[in-house]
Amino acid sequence: MLTRREALAGFAGTALLAAAPKGPYVYPEAALRREDAALLIRAYGELHPGLARYQTPAARAALEQRFRREAERAETPAALWLATTRFTAGVRCGHSFVNPFNQGRALTGSIVERTDRLPFLFRWIGSRMIVTRGLVPGLDPGTEIVSIDGERASALLARLLPLARADGHNDAKRVADLETRGAGKYEDFDILRSLTAPPGRTTVQLRLGDGRRIEAPLMNWDSRPHPDNKGDAALWTAAMNDAAMVVTMGDWATYDSKWDWRGFIKQTVDDAIAANARAIIVDLRGNEGGEDCGDVLLGRLVDRPLDHAPALRRVRYRTTPADLDPHLDTWDDSFRKLGVDAVDDRHDGLLTLPPEPSLRIEPARPRFNGNLVVLVDAECSSATFQFAQTVRASGRGTIVGEPTGGNRRGINGGCFFFVRMPHSRLEADLPLIGNFPREPQPDAGLIPDHIVRPTQASIAAGTDLAMAAALSLA
């Protein structure tokens, strides 16, 4: 399965490779690291549409000052990666981060692909680390990890939380990003823990909830489970479960996929109608987003045109500064003139883009008349978050699971620059369009109609509480 971040990195792959300096990697001295930090701060300050959405000018100034100081003191590439991550995380934008898929091999090999991965997958239940899949004996699903190398799991979570990416103050998304689910090639928790852990360890000391203490081997990053990315493989599954058609959509990053996902949706809805299914259950848990695949499905479920909630699309610039251009990679050079036709209608430092063409969802036949149930969790933070919003606004379905990622006050995305700092060669993603609701909204994700969270007992038993609740609503 191709994750949203991997697909986004794929857009920029050719440009990034072309822009990356050639020759052996030489870590820059302090003065050059200061230049790198200043360049990234400037790029964010002049181009990022979401800087003032979730932070005050004073908080932003303090964040920038700390980044300059930490970059100057960063004696290793890992330390600079960590300092840059702290800066991008402080912007409180889920699409702004040091993207592991967009780094050169010198950095990826020495930082992202270390042999220091924990020998289990896990979820946070509150501040408790609960194993979902053990990769060494003695770590069965449901096992609680109380401490790692003497540090309590709850303290580890609190220490890493300020480094995790999310929109606004939606910490549920940050916590979700600090889990390991085996859903992608690289996982944020692995990288952040690696950046902050003592190097050179080959084993890990674990204290378990039942009082046992075990020593387990650390693993190489590619020994841990993650999906096999195949461009022509089916991304989703669909099957009848009692009277419901259950559609599992782990990712909507279909950009470069050769798989006919639109045909899959058509066939799935046709099959649900033929089977007289009472409901279609769409499982979006773990799905950050990608394309607006849900619109195709909704077209088979509505009996009248459905409009997306209108939002203001705003940018911070008209054209990019010429001296920044060599450091801004992207897949579409028109982004460099993104704000040429924008209007300075609010005089707040942002420009409003012309309205997009109609995003109306038109009804398609034959229509499925049964129920729609959508399963969500905190990973639903981009297109899947917006889909949940559309379902809620339409009244067409019921939302079940955990509060989503994203933020009702607005998120940034759509178009991107990939900012490469020239001396250190680190890259950070920079979204260019801010979506702003027309009416005031809370600084939070979407709350499901029925909140259902996993428990330690349900993980131990292999019971999917949210799916059971969805089936009961069918």
Side-chain angles (χ1 to χ4, degrees):
M1 178 189 301
L2 192 67
T3 68
R4 183 189 62 82
R5 283 194 291 169
E6 289 170 304
L8 194 58
F11 275 144
T14 302
L16 285 169
L17 289 172
K22 307 299 182 182
Y25 181 74
V26 178
Y27 188 61
E29 60 185 24
L32 298 180
R33 298 196 298 271
R34 285 197 302 269
E35 289 184 14
D36 275 0
L39 183 141
L40 186 61
I41 289 170
R42 182 186 167 206
Y44 267 56
E46 296 190 19
L47 306 177
H48 198 297
L51 292 182
R53 198 195 311 250
Y54 298 115
Q55 61 176 349
T56 65
R60 176 183 165 193
L63 182 69
E64 293 173 353
Q65 183 178 13
R66 179 172 184 175
F67 180 34
R68 289 189 181 94
R69 183 173 63 250
E70 291 186 343
E72 183 175 359
R73 296 176 180 174
E75 296 182 352
T76 65
L80 184 58
W81 186 310
L82 180 62
T84 309
T85 294
R86 193 183 306 278
F87 168 70
T88 56
V91 176
R92 296 188 178 276
C93 165
H95 289 89
S96 301
F97 65 111
V98 180
N99 192 332
F101 295 98
N102 286 343
Q103 312 303 330
R105 283 299 308 165
L107 292 170
T108 303
S110 64
I111 295 175
V112 178
E113 298 176 3
R114 290 178 175 174
T115 309
D116 62 355
R117 301 304 187 242
L118 296 177
F120 55 87
L121 305 181
F122 74 94
R123 288 207 60 182
W124 294 103
I125 304 299
S127 60
R128 299 168 64 206
M129 179 182 276
I130 306 299
V131 174
T132 56
R133 179 178 176 184
L135 304 174
V136 294
L139 297 179
D140 297 326
T143 300
E144 180 181 2
I145 307 296
V146 175
S147 66
I148 301 173
D149 290 333
E151 181 180 29
R152 292 190 65 84
S154 57
L156 173 63
L157 174 61
R159 182 165 59 81
L160 296 184
L161 200 64
L163 302 173
R165 59 190 178 88
D167 295 288
H169 294 79
N170 188 348
D171 281 348
K173 176 63 167 71
R174 293 184 173 86
V175 171
D177 268 355
L178 295 175
E179 299 174 335
T180 56
R181 304 192 187 194
K185 182 177 180 181
Y186 304 132
E187 302 205 54
D188 291 348
F189 172 84
D190 289 331
I191 297 171
L192 296 178
R193 179 184 172 276
S194 180
L195 290 173
T196 59
R201 297 291 299 272
T202 59
T203 62
V204 62
Q205 299 286 339
L206 303 174
R207 183 160 68 90
L208 310 184
D210 59 7
R212 285 182 295 148
R213 296 175 184 268
I214 66 173
E215 182 172 307
L218 291 166
M219 305 182 69
N220 193 30
W221 73 274
D222 61 357
S223 297
R224 284 263 299 275
H226 56 76
D228 185 17
N229 300 328
K230 296 180 180 178
D232 58 350
L235 300 177
W236 311 323
T237 63
M240 289 294 296
N241 186 332
D242 194 12
M245 177 66 76
V246 177
V247 187
T248 302
M249 294 177 158
D251 204 288
W252 282 356
T254 58
Y255 314 100
D256 291 333
S257 175
K258 299 176 183 178
W259 179 58
D260 182 12
W261 62 268
R262 290 179 176 82
F264 173 90
I265 291 176
K266 178 182 183 303
Q267 187 61 56
T268 296
V269 177
D270 288 345
D271 291 346
I273 294 172
N276 293 317
R278 290 202 303 266
I280 292 177
I281 298 174
V282 180
D283 188 352
L284 297 179
R285 291 173 295 176
N287 183 339
E288 280 195 303
E291 292 195 83
D292 292 321
C293 303
D295 290 359
V296 177
L297 174 63
L298 277 176
R300 296 292 302 274
L301 305 179
V302 297
D303 58 3
R304 59 179 61 87
L306 177 64
D307 289 314
H308 285 278
L312 294 173
R313 300 168 62 247
R314 312 200 70 203
V315 297
R316 190 168 291 279
Y317 66 98
R318 293 195 183 279
T319 61
T320 53
D323 61 328
L324 274 183
D325 275 334
H327 311 292
L328 306 176
D329 296 313
T330 186
W331 66 90
D332 186 340
D333 273 342
S334 70
F335 297 166
R336 302 183 192 278
K337 299 180 180 180
L338 191 60
V340 165
D341 297 323
V343 178
D344 187 6
D345 55 348
R346 302 197 175 196
H347 309 290
D348 58 358
L350 294 177
L351 309 169
T352 302
L353 291 171
E356 282 188 295
S358 175
L359 298 178
R360 173 169 292 183
I361 299 171
E362 297 288 348
R365 303 296 178 189
R367 178 174 181 264
F368 176 75
N369 294 305
N371 299 328
L372 170 66
V373 182
V374 182
L375 285 169
V376 297
D377 65 7
E379 288 286 11
C380 299
S381 53
S382 187
T384 45
F385 161 69
Q386 293 170 328
F387 174 73
Q389 285 186 304
T390 302
V391 170
R392 168 69 56 79
S394 72
R396 181 61 181 87
T398 303
I399 302 172
V400 175
E402 302 171 72
T404 69
N407 202 295
R408 291 164 65 187
R409 192 175 288 179
I411 63 177
N412 313 299
C415 307
F416 287 80
F417 284 134
F418 307 97
V419 186
R420 186 173 297 282
M421 296 186 283
H423 306 298
S424 63
R425 306 188 190 179
L426 268 177
E427 181 276 343
D429 285 13
L430 194 168
L432 304 179
I433 298 177
N435 290 293
F436 290 79
R438 294 179 180 272
E439 301 295 333
Q441 296 292 334
D443 181 0
L446 193 72
I447 306 301
D449 301 303
H450 300 273
I451 297 179
V452 184
R453 306 179 190 271
T455 65
Q456 182 180 11
S458 70
I459 291 172
T463 302
D464 189 338
L465 297 178
M467 182 60 74
L471 290 167
S472 73
L473 295 168

